[in-house]
Amino acid sequence: MTCQTNVVDSPIELWGLVFAADLPDEPSHKTFFIRNQGHSGVLTFASALDAEIYCSQLAATGMPGWRRAPLERIDLSRVMSLASPGERKIMLALGFHASDTNDLLADEDQTLLTPLLPIPYRMTHSLHGLSQLHINHEVCDFIEQWWDRVGGDHYSEQVRMTSSWSDHELARCAGDALSKAAIMNMRQYHTLWSHSGAGDECAVFSPGSGAWCFSTLQGPRQRALH
């Protein structure tokens, strides 16, 4: 019996990452796990473009083969059953961490750092092998407010527009976004400034303007040179 996942209670399409070879016609039971600041779980995106940018950067840094996939194409019921209890979370990525010098921030492997939100969910199962993932409406409301804050009033419409783009269109836009981004290693950033403000800024790429939008999330701050 093939187990499928159906995402319900969410007006926003969510995306996970799988290996390309693992997603022919059946739902994949492999996906990308992430660990950050004591939290770990299935990396999930609310933006198809963000997922494509993340995959493109993984490929550029020696980790090819990952591709975005709608969350309903991932067998989350089995994924969660195989994971350790501490990893049975959905970690929602909301844009990318940025510095106050308008650089995207990366870890030691040059993997882009993302603001991550562990989101509550529940799974229900039917007798016909269908697993339904329920996500609270409050999460979707938060995502909408976040997008308005970091990307502007019309950014949420742009995110929904890109969810229907072809693979070629998304790959082209992701390549354009990365070509316009300065990426700095977090450790390098710490050596330049006595106060990094890590996590205080978020970056999203606007396909409408073809430019990155940088938002200070906790108000203005002062930097001090070493």
Side-chain angles (χ1 to χ4, degrees):
M1 179 181 295
T2 299
C3 183
Q4 296 180 329
T5 300
N6 182 30
V7 182
V8 298
D9 296 345
S10 174
I12 297 171
E13 186 164 12
L14 300 178
W15 307 81
L17 304 185
V18 299
F19 268 114
D22 293 334
L23 196 65
D25 297 319
E26 295 186 0
S28 174
H29 59 270
K30 290 183 181 179
T31 189
F32 196 95
F33 276 80
I34 194 165
R35 294 170 179 82
N36 183 51
Q37 297 181 347
H39 293 284
S40 58
V42 175
L43 180 60
T44 305
F45 294 84
S47 163
L49 180 57
D50 284 358
E52 192 70 27
I53 291 171
Y54 195 90
C55 289
S56 295
Q57 178 66 8
L58 286 177
T61 55
M63 295 179 64
W66 290 99
R67 58 169 286 187
R68 60 182 173 76
L71 209 56
E72 61 263 24
R73 294 292 308 279
I74 298 173
D75 189 350
L76 282 178
S77 181
R78 184 174 181 185
V79 166
M80 294 301 185
S81 69
L82 296 174
S84 65
E87 292 184 327
R88 293 171 187 170
K89 301 186 186 77
I90 292 179
M91 303 294 289
L92 184 65
L94 294 167
F96 299 93
H97 274 309
S99 71
D100 51 357
T101 50
N102 287 0
D103 301 306
L104 301 187
L105 296 177
D107 62 16
E108 292 300 314
D109 297 322
Q110 290 303 299
T111 302
L112 294 176
L113 299 176
T114 62
L116 290 170
L117 177 69
I119 61 174
Y121 72 94
R122 60 187 176 88
M123 303 268 322
T124 57
H125 313 281
S126 74
L127 296 176
H128 304 288
L130 182 67
S131 300
Q132 290 189 326
L133 172 69
H134 299 262
I135 296 172
N136 295 340
H137 280 287
E138 290 81 2
V139 173
C140 301
D141 293 340
F142 175 85
I143 294 171
E144 295 283 358
Q145 294 167 12
W146 179 275
W147 280 341
D148 288 343
R149 184 176 184 183
V150 302
D153 293 339
H154 302 292
Y155 184 70
S156 59
E157 285 83 358
Q158 294 182 47
V159 171
R160 288 183 172 82
M161 174 185 67
T162 59
S163 68
S164 62
W165 281 7
S166 67
D167 291 345
H168 175 75
E169 288 173 310
L170 278 167
R172 179 186 54 78
C173 192
D176 182 42
L178 287 172
S179 72
K180 294 176 178 177
I183 300 175
M184 181 178 289
N185 181 274
M186 178 67 85
R187 180 177 295 179
Q188 178 188 5
Y189 187 57
H190 275 234
T191 63
L192 290 177
W193 303 103
S194 61
H195 174 62
S196 70
D200 288 355
E201 300 217 5
C202 178
V204 292
F205 188 76
S206 168
S209 65
W212 286 91
C213 303
F214 296 88
S215 301
T216 302
L217 300 178
Q218 297 182 11
R221 63 179 181 275
Q222 298 294 321
R223 284 186 312 187
L225 282 171
H226 281 298

